[in-house]
Amino acid sequence: MTIMRVLGIETSCDETGVALYDTEHGLLADALFSQVAMHADYGGVVPELASRDHTRKLLPLVDEVLAEANLTRGDLDGIAYTAGPGLAGALMVGAATAHGLALALERPVLGVHHMEGHLLAPMLEDEPPAFPFVALLVSGGHTQLVEVQGIGRYQLLGESVDDAAGEAFDKAAKMLGLDYPGGPRVAKLAEQGDPKRLRFPRPMTDRPGLDFSFSGLKTHTLTTLRAFEAEGPLDDQARADIARAFEEAVVDTLVIKCRRALDQTGLKRLVVAGGVSANVRLRERLEHECAKRDARAYYPRGRFCTDNGAMIAYVGAQRLLAGERDEPGVFAARPRWPMDTLTPPETN
């Protein structure tokens, strides 16, 4: 059996991730630098600043990961990088670095789909899910339900027609005066909220189908805030109650759609990945729904819910093993890249 040590590079947005994956021994080392503190001053990601920071941090992180694994660049058998979707400038930093290293080392290199990385991140765990399964990919840029029969064998079941769930969390946080990124901060504030005081709509759950929509929920949140402010200054309890109602609405919507997807496909395994998959209330509700259906939910470990190099190294290793390659020196960032255009590795 061919064994490969693959370096994974992730630079799609505001986190620089690097990891080393061995197809025999698993994940050897990983490192991540988050730009959250820098972008928080602007209330969201500034693409130009993100690209510059990836340029500064990427190669030092590569050296850090190799040192942790007690290896050198010459010990690498292949390099994988995020080719898209993401911010064009940030993607180009990772692509150019990966191709430069591959050219210097005379090693194969491959661009990987960012969401395929999230989709397969639970494969890095001690008890990975077996195929087939339903996957909920829920992050700042994507909310999708996918039926997964194997690597590269994906059928899109439903997706957001407007804002992704993570994007909706960020916008709600901004309305409530919370810092970026919004998801964890809204969730923390919601812990103090009264679940019975307000009830927000569960968008697109009153009709058949597996698509999502969160823009109306965002508008409802703003309308509620203005109604409170019309009566006087917004106090801490009101802010917490709004945060709780918002979080409950997003979680309920995601859970209802996951329940429908499991029932529609008849599958008993649910993978939940992406930044919003770290939400505690979401996990509790999905565990409850899966238990009622004799199903099981799978998640990546906490640090692999958000963007990371490990998921890119894993996917890259599977596809490099199958013989997939970029042409030497030929690469392009793909800010928009539909996942249903992916194909299975030949050996899958």
Side-chain angles (χ1 to χ4, degrees):
M1 181 181 72
T2 304
I3 298 171
M4 294 192 76
R5 291 171 178 160
V6 176
L7 182 74
I9 292 173
E10 156 60 28
T11 62
S12 66
C13 190
D14 60 346
E15 288 171 317
T16 312
V18 178
L20 187 59
Y21 183 82
D22 185 298
T23 55
E24 181 181 28
H25 300 291
L27 186 64
L28 302 180
D30 70 283
L32 182 75
F33 180 82
S34 175
Q35 302 175 1
V36 163
M38 175 178 68
H39 295 296
D41 292 338
Y42 302 92
V45 178
V46 181
E48 178 63 26
L49 295 181
S51 301
R52 292 179 184 179
D53 212 52
H54 288 310
T55 302
R56 286 192 292 265
K57 297 295 192 295
L58 184 50
L59 284 177
L61 282 180
V62 169
D63 292 338
E64 178 184 327
V65 164
L66 289 170
E68 182 181 340
N70 197 28
L71 297 171
T72 68
R73 295 182 184 181
D75 294 316
L76 298 174
D77 298 308
I79 301 169
Y81 64 94
T82 300
L87 302 175
L91 292 168
M92 287 299 292
V93 173
T97 302
H99 271 261
L101 286 171
L103 183 64
L105 298 170
E106 298 183 331
R107 299 293 192 270
V109 59
L110 180 66
V112 168
H113 194 290
H114 177 76
M115 296 311 294
E116 185 174 36
H118 278 303
L119 181 73
L120 299 177
M123 297 301 184
L124 294 163
E125 303 306 315
D126 293 335
E127 295 184 38
F131 298 114
F133 54 78
V134 170
L136 172 66
L137 299 177
V138 57
S139 66
H142 298 81
T143 302
Q144 298 175 320
L145 277 165
V146 183
E147 182 177 345
V148 181
Q149 294 292 330
I151 297 176
R153 297 169 61 195
Y154 311 130
Q155 179 183 352
L156 182 64
L157 301 175
E159 62 184 338
S160 180
V161 299
D162 41 56
D163 292 350
E167 184 181 4
F169 265 111
D170 287 339
K171 291 178 178 178
K174 191 169 185 178
M175 294 177 203
L176 291 166
L178 303 173
D179 288 337
Y180 172 86
R185 289 168 171 80
V186 170
K188 184 175 182 180
L189 180 60
E191 293 175 3
Q192 311 303 319
D194 179 356
K196 297 180 180 179
R197 186 177 183 184
L198 299 168
R199 178 177 172 82
F200 284 7
R202 276 62 173 159
M204 294 185 73
T205 59
D206 58 349
R207 68 191 77 174
L210 295 173
D211 285 336
F212 303 87
S213 172
F214 293 106
S215 64
L217 181 59
K218 173 191 65 179
T219 302
H220 186 88
T221 302
L222 180 60
T223 301
T224 303
L225 272 166
R226 287 175 173 170
F228 272 99
E229 290 170 344
E231 298 177 0
L234 194 68
D235 59 34
D236 290 342
Q237 188 58 54
R239 291 172 68 249
D241 293 343
I242 292 170
R244 180 62 178 264
F246 176 85
E247 183 188 40
E248 291 276 7
V250 173
V251 167
D252 275 358
T253 300
L254 295 173
V255 170
I256 290 168
K257 299 290 182 160
C258 285
R259 182 173 67 216
R260 289 182 184 176
L262 289 172
D263 291 344
Q264 177 178 310
T265 60
L267 297 175
K268 297 294 185 180
R269 288 178 288 270
L270 174 68
V271 162
V272 188
V276 181
S277 71
N279 182 279
V280 173
R281 202 176 308 280
L282 176 62
R283 292 195 177 201
E284 289 175 348
R285 289 289 312 284
L286 288 174
E287 291 289 346
H288 178 70
E289 288 296 327
C290 284
K292 290 195 301 184
R293 285 166 171 72
D294 192 29
R296 180 176 174 183
Y298 295 82
Y299 314 90
R301 71 195 76 171
R303 75 177 191 273
F304 293 160
C305 288
T306 53
D307 296 350
N308 62 87
M311 65 185 191
I312 302 305
Y314 175 82
V315 174
Q318 309 313 308
R319 291 187 172 275
L320 284 165
L321 272 177
E324 294 187 28
R325 305 284 190 273
D326 283 358
E327 291 293 328
V330 179
F331 61 89
R334 302 182 68 176
R336 297 185 181 278
W337 186 3
M339 199 167 68
D340 58 9
T341 63
L342 297 176
T343 58
E346 291 183 5
T347 58
N348 189 37

